[in-house]
């Protein structure tokens, strides 16, 4: 290994294994990570004869399809019911970040069948879908509509004469657009369409729609389907478009667990409008965990590289330093590392909440906590995806020129992760939903009738003087939490008051729109307060004291960095004094100093293997330069010394010159 | 055209042509933009039989090479000496953002010959380089070194016996890495190497090095050269690596305008160490202009799309609104548009300064203003590239799902522009250089001996009480400027004091490092103050009063948005009161309101043609959906209904299922 990185590993004050156990909630998951890695590495099916970066799009799709089929044929070592950890890890190890045509089949199509089919329909479709006799996707978004699902334009008109639905794309903006795997792979789709029966529009409903002939794979008559073209990332996924020309499906292809259409066209409404919620909340919860890993991966790469990169001197004549020694570099790296853990731990918490809430619903049809969970998962999704995206780019830039090469893996991590800002609910739209939840609470508090679950409890508390945050080493967790809660509470009520006062001069919805920038800020701060509290709480559960000390510093760095970034809000009304604000800043520098020798070991705590990382820059052994050269030499352009462009264009140019 | 966009064009309060004239400094340049566009569109050589997004890397390189040669063969209509406007516009119109193998030849190789060769060398190389009988690049960066050029490892050892230099790569980290066009295209390079003569190392010097046989294009013996592999962006440029194995070149291949090595090996030092500066400053100045256009392009796309995209209702039952009506959307778009103009006008100013300074140097060898220009161009480069990158992503995200498609052009704009954060001086390194300049001034002010050029003059003024900013409509420019200057001044001296106090307890360089985060913040604020002042000053020159009013609002939005973003700094010491801070926020909303009907016309003021924009989403006519579908249908994956993956992987999977 590179001696610089070995030296770093020795300088940590904690035992790596113990820290990894803390990070992965005990020995079991850590052991499983290794076992799954060994399993993937021992299977020839998962080898890459050519490095994935060197493939064109057709080749990428070929590789990903080959591998995802192989992946599903080799499940004996994987607990696929663990969709928070084992399943995504397995996918990342086998395929990587360009995804594949089965993502939506497992992520949305199967769950939709499980949650939206009645018994008879389950009987019919669950088997084939689970055994991959058919390949499905989830077709909701259209060219013209994503966020506002109520205005989707695809129609499903019931024809009682033939007992069929006629699925139709009335104009171009109604073309389905984006569904993963739809373009060239799926032969089925769960399609969201406006249900028309007996002359009435009953709103968007789901339908099971065959798309391609199961033997020839040709699109069925009435179906136009194709790939939507290259994207920023996930190019091994054939996101597709879909146009219906009065395409007929049997009545029973409407998913009828909740709403139904009877043979004569009579519509039966669902008993509870929010029961379709589950899949969305689950996917958002999974995203938190996944996004945390992406930021974690980026931090691992940048920190390791910063340990082996030597550039410039601090004291002249004393030799070039590891760039990790630059204070500015530490500031680029360590708060991002802290964030990655904050998000990981939020992922754990939301998983627990999700499992708890679904249990309540299943056992006692108790949906009381659903709005809470919905607000929490939407808020976390919006805040985390954006901070992860920004963080990855910060980390990439901190690696200088080499961060721009795809060898670094940063471009792939970024383009993969940043998609999360948009899908599963556009972030601003999500934040406004959280704000709606918060304004409802504010109103309840003001009218003295709050019914608050734990996460929003603080909103009802009364204010309590000045900020309590003090020097990082001695400051109590409670004081940090107090300050975040107090500031967020103030922001919530000040937005609420502004909203109410605007409602005096304009329509309610217009007032909402006029306030919406503030409302987004409030929602973000509420989520950040949750993240800080959750990080600190998680640290308190750490049993190894050396690990605990370092993680505690990281958690405080996270909190102090947030205070520093939201400076204005904390200083309002003199809540945080100027002396305190300046001290927070100096304390951040001290924490960077204190974490400097722990940095590489903290990165190692993520226990991300080289195979999962897929980064030349972030390799565990730190031998970056030879690996970069080797990677470059394998690039397709280097197959021949002279490209055809020489004879075609350059040589004539030289001769003329 | 889409009626929504037509409506928007009519709602503007100013005359588009007059505004465009203001933006482009008069009618002449505007006319030239159109003429160059007509020229490119009328030349078949510049057609694209296949849409560039659908090409693989080899095909991209083929296309770009073909086009850049054609570009240089068709210069009759272009004023190539106008490298701030005409030359880059021409390149964008013909090729786009993936660049090409001649970028470095014109951007660095030719200027290097012009600036670093003595008369005899000019005679020998300028002709062939200018006529493209040879194709060159600029090879400075190595695998192991970019920012710290003094530690480059490639050696050029003078051998007096043969009167040759032996160019050598002593270890892998010394391999040249990154130079544009080096991989497969260039047959010459200006190579930076440590000059060793008579047993002494004289530091990095430039050498003219032939790389490939001019008839076969094969690498010459002793040269290993290749492409460095795929990157985040600019993939039609074959950035390359280069390894020397005791490769010999004649003594006179050292560029000898300033330093020389005599036949016996005697070294003659240059008269003035900063004379090599010019090219770097020029390139950074050009970058400002270019980066502004990239942000401008992104803003044009997002604003036009936001005018034709209808999603969700504000008042229920009143129909879906243009997303431009959402306050949050306006906040995503308009401050970015304001920035794009702020940066464009900074580009104009730095061009003027550059031309002025070079004239002074040429006519009277007066280099007094060079440090100033250097600090200004470095600071602007660092601040602008980062804000442009962030802004492009904000604008992309504001377009929802379609922003993620390459059809939007955002991915290409982003990956192209963000490279600018790293090349021509890594941004943090640049900011620290600006900080050094500012600390020097602070010291001079404190010791009472300042010698200040205009841009730094404010640092010597004395403080003057509270913030003066007031309501946006009535607030005087001077008051805004006063506040920015006062805050920046305070930040400068507070960083200076912290630095001095730390110097009491540690080595000077270590104190610098300990302060470096603050120093970067100070440098950024200094640059932003310049940008605000320059934007307001430019607006004052506008002769058309309707245009002036709207541009003035945009400039104030820019300033107020900066104040709001830097809240903490303005509030320190009660400088900006809380009431003022809240008012700034409300004023931002009012300005968004006021600019809402001007938005599309303001975007049009950039006068960016569809050809230059290369965006399906941002088309002038607003007919987005049919164009998206057409683009997607042309994607290579849609050439056949069924991909080979069906027979190879999916069909077997279905059969087994
Ligand atoms: C990588 C990727 C994969 C995807 N996969 C799938 C898939 O498998 N299946 C599928 O069905 N879909 C998929 N989608 C589509 C995705 O779900 C939508 O893009 C997403 O829901 C956002 O909707 P939109 O594109 O309509 O954005 P829009 O709603 O058009 O958003 C555009 C802008 O309008 C603003 N806006 C919209 N409504 C409001 C409002 N009420 N208030 C304030 N502002 C508003 C937004 O903030 C945003 O700035 C995918 C998208 C991506 C990028
Ligand atoms: C798209 C692209 C095109 C390029 N084209 C060319 C070309 O044509 N020719 C050519 O010669 N080169 C080229 N380069 C290389 C480019 O000039 C370098 O990447 C750039 O100068 C940055 O240097 P670096 O990569 O060594 O970064 P590093 O210096 O290694 O930076 C890594 C990190 O260390 C930090 N750091 C470094 N020094 C200090 C310090 N003193 N104080 C504090 N922090 C520090 C930086 O802030 C950064 O966070 C290109 C690069 C790119 C990305």
């Amino acid at each position: 290994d590179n001696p610089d990185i070995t030296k770093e590993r020795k300088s940590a004050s904690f035992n790596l294994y113990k820290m990894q156990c803390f990070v992965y909630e005990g020995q079991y998951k850590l052991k499983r990570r290794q076992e799954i890695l060994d399993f993937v590495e021992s299977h020839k099916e998962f080898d890459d004869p050519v490095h994935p970066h060197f493939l064109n799009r057709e080749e990428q799709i070929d590789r990903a399809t080959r591998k995802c089929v192989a992946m599903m044929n080799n499940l004996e070592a994987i607990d696929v019911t663990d969709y928070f950890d084992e399943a995504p890890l397995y996918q990342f190890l086998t395929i990587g970040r360009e995804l594949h045509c089965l993502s939506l089949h497992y992520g949305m199509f199967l769950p939709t069948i499980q949650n939206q089919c009645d018994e008879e329909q389950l009987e019919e479709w669950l088997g084939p879908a689970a055994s991959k006799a058919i390949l499905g996707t989830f077709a909701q978004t259209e060219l013209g509509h994503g966020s506002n699902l109520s205005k989707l334009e695809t129609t499903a008109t019931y024809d009682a004469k033939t007992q069929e639905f006629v699925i139709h794309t009335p104009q171009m903006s109604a073309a389905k657009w984006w569904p993963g795997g739809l373009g060239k792979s799926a032969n089925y789709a769960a399609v969201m369409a406006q249900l028309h029966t007996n002359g009435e529009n009953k709103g968007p409903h789901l339908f099971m729609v065959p798309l391609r002939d199961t033997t020839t794979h040709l699109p069925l008559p009435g179906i136009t389907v194709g790939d939507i073209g290259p994207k920023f990332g996930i190019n091994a996924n054939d996101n597709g478009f879909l146009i219906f020309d009065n395409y007929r499906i049997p009545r029973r292809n409407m998913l009828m667990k909740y709403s139904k259409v009877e043979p004569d066209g009579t519509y039966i409404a669902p008993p509870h409008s929010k029961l379709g919620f589950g899949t969305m909340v689950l996917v958002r919860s999974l995203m938190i965990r996944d996004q945390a890993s992406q930021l974690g991966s980026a931090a691992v790469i940048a920190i390791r590289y910063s340990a082996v990169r030597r550039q410039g001197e601090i004291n002249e004549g004393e030799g070039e330093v590891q760039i990790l020694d630059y204070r500015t570099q530490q500031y680029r790296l360590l708060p991002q590392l802290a964030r990655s853990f904050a998000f990981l731990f939020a992922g754990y918490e939301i998983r627990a909440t999700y499992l708890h809430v679904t249990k309540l619903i299943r056992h006692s049809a108790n949906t009381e906590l659903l709005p809470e969970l919905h607000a929490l998962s939407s808020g976390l999704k919006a805040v985390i995806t954006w901070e992860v995206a920004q963080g990855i780019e910060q980390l990439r830039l901190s690696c200088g020129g080499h961060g721009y090469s795809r060898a670094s893996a940063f471009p792939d991590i970024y383009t993969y992760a940043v998609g999360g800002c948009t899908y599963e609910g556009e972030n601003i739209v999500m934040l406004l939903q959280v704000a709606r939840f918060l304004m409802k609470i504010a109103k309840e508090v003001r009218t003295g009738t709050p019914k608050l679950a734990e996460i929003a409890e603080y909103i009802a508390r009364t204010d309590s003087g000045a900020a309590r945050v003090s020097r990082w080493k001695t400051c109590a967790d409670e004081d940090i939490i107090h300050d975040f809660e107090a500031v967020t509470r103030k922001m919530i009520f000040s937005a609420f008051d502004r909203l109410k006062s605007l409602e005096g001069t304009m329509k309610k919805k217009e007032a909402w729109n006029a306030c919406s920038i503030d409302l987004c800020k409030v929602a973000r701060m509420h989520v950040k307060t949750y993240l800080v509290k959750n990080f600190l709480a998680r640290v308190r559960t750490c049993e190894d004291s050396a690990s605990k000390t370092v993680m505690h510093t990281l958690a405080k760095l996270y909190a102090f960095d947030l205070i520093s970034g939201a400076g204005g809000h904390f200083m309002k009304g003199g809540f945080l004094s100027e002396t305190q604000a300046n001290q927070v800043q100096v304390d951040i520098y001290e924490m960077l100093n204190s974490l400097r020798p722990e940095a590489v070991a903290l990165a190692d705590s993520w226990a991300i293997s080289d195979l999962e990382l897929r980064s030349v820059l972030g390799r565990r052994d730190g031998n970056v330069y030879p690996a970069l050269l080797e990677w470059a030499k394998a690039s397709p352009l280097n197959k021949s010394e002279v490209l055809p462009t020489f004879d075609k264009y350059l040589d004539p140019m030289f001769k003329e010159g």
Side-chain angles (χ1 to χ4, degrees), chain A:
Chain A
D1 293 4
N2 183 307
D4 274 336
I5 209 164
T6 304
K7 184 193 78 183
E8 294 298 328
R9 293 197 162 110
K10 290 191 183 138
S11 70
S13 65
F14 57 88
N15 173 290
L16 179 61
Y17 180 71
K18 287 186 181 162
M19 182 65 99
Q20 290 179 327
C21 285
F22 169 66
V23 168
Y24 285 101
E25 306 181 285
Q27 302 183 6
Y28 176 73
K29 288 224 177 124
L30 200 59
K31 194 180 89 215
R32 289 294 297 148
R33 287 181 77 79
Q34 187 59 46
E35 286 168 1
I36 295 172
L37 175 65
D38 293 342
F39 178 78
V40 172
E41 285 188 327
S42 68
H43 276 65
K44 282 232 168 57
E45 293 93 319
F46 299 131
D47 287 354
D48 281 311
V50 175
H51 194 289
H53 284 145
F54 304 147
L55 305 176
N56 66 32
R57 182 132 189 258
E58 286 88 333
E59 293 163 340
Q60 281 183 354
I61 290 199
D62 189 284
R63 167 184 179 271
T65 311
R66 168 174 68 75
K67 288 192 138 190
C68 70
V69 172
M71 181 173 87
M72 299 316 295
N73 286 338
N74 290 281
L75 288 178
E76 59 277 15
I78 315 297
D79 174 5
V80 286
T81 65
D82 181 4
Y83 34 71
F84 276 91
D85 287 306
E86 299 210 357
L89 174 63
Y90 183 44
Q91 171 181 303
F92 268 96
L93 287 171
T94 48
I95 297 179
R97 303 177 187 97
E98 293 292 319
L99 293 185
H100 55 82
C101 63
L102 291 180
S103 323
L104 267 277
H105 181 81
Y106 287 99
M108 296 286 291
F109 183 68
L110 256 180
T112 301
I113 292 180
Q114 286 161 336
N115 299 329
Q116 307 285 333
C117 284
D118 62 27
E119 289 302 322
E120 204 185 295
Q121 291 177 323
L122 269 179
E123 187 78 17
E124 184 176 354
W125 290 313
L126 188 57
S131 70
K132 298 159 287 154
I134 61 175
L135 198 175
T137 182
F138 187 80
Q140 178 168 285
T141 308
E142 297 173 354
L143 252 181
H145 286 89
S147 297
N148 188 18
L149 297 174
S150 67
K151 293 284 188 220
L152 288 174
E153 297 171 290
T154 303
T155 52
T157 310
Y158 186 61
D159 179 352
K161 281 200 297 285
T162 61
Q163 303 211 7
E164 287 171 326
F165 286 103
V166 182
I167 314 276
H168 190 58
T169 304
Q171 57 265 331
M172 198 175 284
S173 57
K176 293 292 171 189
W177 202 267
W178 275 114
L182 169 65
K184 309 307 277 188
S185 309
N187 53 12
Y188 266 81
V191 171
M192 193 68 92
Q194 299 283 355
L195 166 59
H196 291 263
T197 182
N198 290 337
E200 277 182 63
N201 180 358
K202 296 296 180 183
H205 285 72
L206 280 167
F207 299 85
M208 185 66 137
V209 182
L211 303 175
R212 288 174 178 268
D213 185 288
T214 46
T215 55
T216 64
H217 206 58
L218 284 168
L220 294 164
I223 299 277
T224 305
V225 66
D227 176 81
I228 61 166
K231 295 147 296 186
F232 206 3
I234 59 163
N235 278 308
N237 191 331
D238 52 324
N239 298 76
F241 65 83
L242 172 60
I243 296 168
F244 298 100
D245 182 9
N246 292 298
Y247 181 76
R248 288 178 171 261
I249 54 170
R251 177 181 68 91
R252 288 288 292 156
N253 276 31
M254 171 178 161
L255 302 191
M256 295 205 183
K257 179 159 184 185
Y258 300 114
S259 10
K260 297 181 209 320
V261 168
E262 312 237 294
D264 67 352
T266 307
Y267 176 74
I268 298 175
H272 186 307
S273 73
K274 296 280 170 199
L275 284 171
F277 247 16
T279 320
M280 243 160 58
V281 174
L282 171 60
V283 175
R284 277 181 211 144
S285 306
L286 293 173
M287 280 175 72
I288 310 299
R289 174 72 181 78
D290 176 38
Q291 293 272 330
S293 301
Q294 301 310 319
L295 184 58
S297 300
V300 169
I301 298 168
I303 289 174
R304 286 187 184 157
Y305 178 65
S306 297
V308 300
R309 178 75 169 177
R310 289 183 171 269
Q311 195 79 188
E313 302 179 319
I314 292 180
N315 293 313
E316 243 160 282
E318 295 185 6
E320 291 194 285
V321 299
Q322 296 163 284
I323 54 176
L324 195 48
D325 285 331
Y326 290 118
R327 185 55 52 83
T328 43
Q329 189 75 1
Q330 295 160 9
Y331 195 50
R332 289 181 121 171
L333 304 174
L334 294 170
Q336 302 300 346
L337 181 69
R339 268 188 197 108
S340 71
F341 286 116
F343 301 163
L344 177 69
F345 299 148
Y348 291 160
E349 200 55 32
I350 188 105
R351 177 193 57 200
T353 315
Y354 173 78
L355 296 174
H356 176 63
V357 172
T358 38
K359 201 189 269 172
L360 278 183
I361 298 183
R362 208 170 303 139
H363 289 194
S364 51
N366 178 344
T367 59
E368 217 170 69
L369 289 174
L370 211 52
E372 186 100 3
L373 176 59
H374 177 69
L376 180 60
S377 65
S378 310
L380 284 171
K381 185 265 181 201
V383 169
I384 287 178
T385 51
W386 173 234
E387 298 211 342
V388 164
Q390 275 195 306
I392 294 166
E393 275 298 85
Q394 285 283 3
L395 291 160
R396 185 180 69 71
L397 290 168
S398 80
C399 295
H402 295 321
Y404 193 78
S405 166
R406 288 193 67 187
S408 70
F410 285 118
D412 300 70
I413 299 176
Y414 181 68
T415 56
Y416 167 76
V418 77
C421 293
T422 306
Y423 58 71
E424 294 304 320
E426 201 282 323
N427 276 354
I428 296 291
V429 176
M430 291 294 97
L431 288 174
L432 290 171
Q433 290 187 10
V434 178
R436 208 170 292 278
F437 171 81
L438 293 174
M439 289 303 107
K440 199 170 138 268
I441 293 179
K443 191 174 163 196
E444 289 170 0
V445 170
R446 277 285 163 81
T447 55
T449 56
K451 228 187 97 219
L452 300 173
E454 208 194 320
I455 161 182
E457 221 187 296
Y458 74 94
I459 303 175
R461 257 176 258 142
T462 44
D463 275 338
S464 47
R468 296 189 190 153
V469 66
S470 58
R471 300 304 310 268
W472 68 280
K473 277 205 181 160
T474 47
C475 183
D477 289 0
E478 294 68 41
D479 290 337
I480 297 174
I481 295 171
H482 166 270
D483 291 359
F484 273 90
E485 291 187 341
V487 167
T488 311
R489 186 163 50 230
K490 262 188 277 188
M491 288 174 72
I492 290 175
F493 285 106
S494 116
F496 181 76
D497 291 337
R498 198 162 158 255
L499 188 61
K500 290 298 135 191
S501 109
L502 285 176
E503 284 177 3
T505 65
M506 54 182 93
K507 288 190 199 164
K508 223 168 156 168
K509 296 288 174 98
E510 284 167 7
W512 179 267
N513 189 31
C515 261
S516 54
I517 297 169
D518 290 334
L519 289 167
C520 287
K521 285 187 188 163
V522 169
R524 273 194 208 100
M525 195 54 125
H526 168 72
V527 173
K528 287 178 186 172
T529 297
Y530 171 85
L531 284 163
V532 167
K533 288 197 285 195
N534 187 62
F535 196 167
L536 291 169
R538 171 72 47 168
V539 170
R540 278 194 297 277
T541 70
C542 182
E543 285 165 12
D544 174 57
S545 86
S547 302
K548 190 175 188 170
T549 307
V550 175
M551 263 293 162
H552 201 182
T553 307
L554 211 54
K556 285 183 183 168
L557 175 64
Y558 177 65
F560 278 45
D561 188 47
L562 283 179
I563 296 176
S564 150
H569 292 298
F570 278 79
M571 285 167 75
K572 276 201 178 157
F575 178 71
L576 186 78
S577 74
E578 211 159 311
T579 323
Q580 281 173 312
N582 290 336
Q583 193 58 57
V584 161
Q585 211 52 46
V586 172
D587 277 11
I588 290 176
Y589 305 152
E590 281 189 16
M591 285 188 268
L592 294 177
N593 227 3
S594 141
L595 290 168
R596 159 70 185 81
E598 323 281 355
V600 169
L602 275 171
D604 289 347
S605 313
W606 263 100
I608 297 177
S609 60
D610 280 356
L611 181 60
E612 189 183 353
L613 213 51
R614 293 172 197 275
S615 167
V616 176
L617 232 50
R619 343 169 12 114
R620 208 202 57 80
D621 68 11
N623 291 326
V624 169
Y625 301 141
L628 271 174
L629 187 59
E630 190 191 331
W631 179 85
K633 283 190 169 167
S635 158
L637 287 186
N638 293 326
K639 271 189 209 141
S640 62
E641 288 284 6
V642 179
L643 295 185
T645 51
F646 174 66
D647 281 331
K648 284 159 81 179
Y649 317 115
L650 297 178
D651 198 31
M653 176 180 88
F654 293 150
K655 289 196 172 127
E656 197 166 314

